[in-house]
Amino acid sequence: MSEDNGHENSAGGPVEKVADIASGIGEYIRQQRNNAKISLRQLAKLAGVSNPYLSQIERGVRKPSAEILQQIAKGLRISAEALYVQAGILDLPNGGPVTDAIRADAELTERQKQVLLDVYESFRRENAAAGGDRGQATVIAKE
């Protein structure tokens, strides 16, 4: 029986991965919609998709295309890139939780998000170039 399970896992692996991605993107869209305090119907209208289709996406039944994700992102006023990452279309950009938080902030415009990300990345590059000197600069600044 363990051989059958191993066989099922290898054969069902890609299908299960797609199902996990669909579920993940649906949950992410639902969270963003709830954060924006808009109903499923409102988002469907803003995104130009049908209410039942959006509901299926949120429940993980359907995996939306990049085009549909872009429409949903516009309706939510969030970065399409954030949805592409969640859907597995793009790799996770460098930066981690700070960049994720900036991208997910529904109160910022796309331009504001990009400016913040550019500044943040410039600080990271500067600190990486400075190497081990950062710790000394912090100590000196505190004195």
Side-chain angles (χ1 to χ4, degrees):
M1 192 172 221
S2 63
E3 287 179 23
D4 289 340
N5 287 342
H7 180 69
E8 282 178 27
N9 288 343
S10 63
V15 173
E16 289 170 4
K17 186 174 180 182
V18 169
D20 288 345
I21 289 171
S23 176
I25 188 64
E27 179 60 31
Y28 183 78
I29 290 169
R30 181 181 295 120
Q31 287 173 344
Q32 295 303 310
R33 181 175 59 75
N34 289 336
N35 289 345
K37 295 180 174 60
I38 57 177
S39 71
L40 187 72
R41 287 180 196 262
Q42 289 171 318
L43 179 55
K45 186 175 181 180
L46 289 168
V49 298
S50 75
N51 190 44
Y53 182 61
L54 183 57
S55 176
Q56 290 175 343
I57 292 170
E58 284 195 359
R59 289 182 286 127
V61 175
R62 296 232 184 192
K63 183 174 184 262
S65 68
E67 184 178 324
I68 296 296
L69 287 173
Q70 185 174 23
Q71 290 172 236
I72 292 170
K74 283 181 185 177
L76 289 169
R77 294 185 174 189
I78 63 170
S79 164
E81 184 181 61
L83 288 182
Y84 293 158
V85 168
Q86 290 293 321
I89 295 171
L90 288 178
D91 290 333
L92 183 64
N94 293 335
V98 173
T99 56
D100 290 347
I102 292 170
R103 286 188 179 101
D105 192 327
E107 295 184 22
L108 298 176
T109 67
E110 290 303 311
R111 187 175 188 306
Q112 290 169 332
K113 290 176 188 180
Q114 193 55 56
V115 169
L116 279 172
L117 290 170
D118 290 345
V119 170
Y120 177 67
E121 285 304 316
S122 74
F123 287 149
R124 289 174 51 89
R125 283 191 301 273
E126 184 180 311
N127 289 344
D133 294 340
R134 277 190 321 193
Q136 288 181 332
T138 303
V139 170
I140 293 168
K142 286 182 179 179
E143 292 176 4

